[in-house]
Amino acid sequence: MSDATPFETRNDLSATIRTRSVVLLQAILADSLDLASQVKHAHWNVKGPHFMPLHELFDTLHEELEGEVDDIAERLTALGGHARGTAREAAKASRLPEFPPDAVDGSAHLKALADRYAALGRSTRQAIAAADDAGDAATADLFTQLVRRLDKHLWFIEAHLQR
């Protein structure tokens, strides 16, 4: 059985629709897991005069991403898929760029995270359309909820960069 071939389920979506949705969900899962690890990396490594508020912001963002990741993985498995969610699997499959190793001050972390939130927002909007086109309104709705929160968190991050 390949990762995209769904397990048997009584879900009334066709195997073709479920397979397409599993592929979409797996891609967003990998990117979301990668983003969560990058946010935690920023949480651990941020330095500078705004350390504490950024440290706390990054921790809050990470906690919210953990919930999103769980929702994505559960939808994927509910459709008969096998969630590939180990750190190695996510890193291998993620479409997000690597976090800059030289990021130290708050501004560098904020810019890097803003870029990654924007990228995941963009790919999630594309996944909404693809899930809708496939005939899976529930997966499209999950992606819509995710992108709404990504946009909100991008706003939080960008607000720190504006003068």
Side-chain angles (χ1 to χ4, degrees):
M1 170 179 287
S2 77
D3 287 346
T5 304
F7 289 98
E8 291 297 319
T9 176
R10 288 176 178 79
N11 184 301
D12 68 341
L13 291 175
S14 72
T16 301
I17 292 171
R18 289 187 295 116
T19 297
R20 289 176 67 187
S21 290
V22 163
V23 169
L24 292 168
L25 287 156
Q26 189 60 59
I28 297 297
L29 177 63
D31 292 347
S32 298
L33 283 163
D34 188 16
L35 179 60
S37 72
Q38 291 190 39
V39 170
K40 197 59 157 179
H41 174 87
H43 166 79
W44 293 326
N45 291 293
V46 67
K47 307 275 188 278
H50 303 289
F51 165 77
M52 198 57 174
L54 292 178
H55 182 74
E56 290 174 352
L57 171 65
F58 298 157
D59 204 33
T60 298
L61 294 174
H62 180 265
E63 287 174 12
E64 293 203 21
L65 279 167
E66 284 183 324
E68 302 297 335
V69 162
D70 197 49
D71 289 345
I72 296 163
E74 288 177 354
R75 176 68 183 163
L76 194 159
T77 57
L79 293 177
H82 185 86
R84 301 290 178 196
T86 68
R88 290 180 186 173
E89 290 170 318
K92 184 178 176 182
S94 178
R95 299 166 293 181
L96 298 180
E98 181 59 64
F99 202 85
D102 58 345
V104 175
D105 70 7
S107 180
H109 286 288
L110 288 163
K111 288 175 185 172
L113 291 177
D115 290 344
R116 282 141 188 83
Y117 268 84
L120 183 53
R122 183 172 36 259
S123 63
T124 303
R125 272 184 261 288
Q126 293 167 350
I128 293 167
D132 195 43
D133 289 346
D136 185 353
T139 296
D141 182 60
L142 183 144
F143 289 148
T144 300
Q145 292 174 41
L146 173 61
V147 83
R148 186 178 304 114
R149 285 187 285 277
L150 290 168
D151 287 349
K152 180 179 179 181
H153 295 157
L154 176 59
W155 169 51
F156 290 172
I157 293 165
E158 289 180 331
H160 286 275
L161 295 169
Q162 295 172 353
R163 298 198 186 267

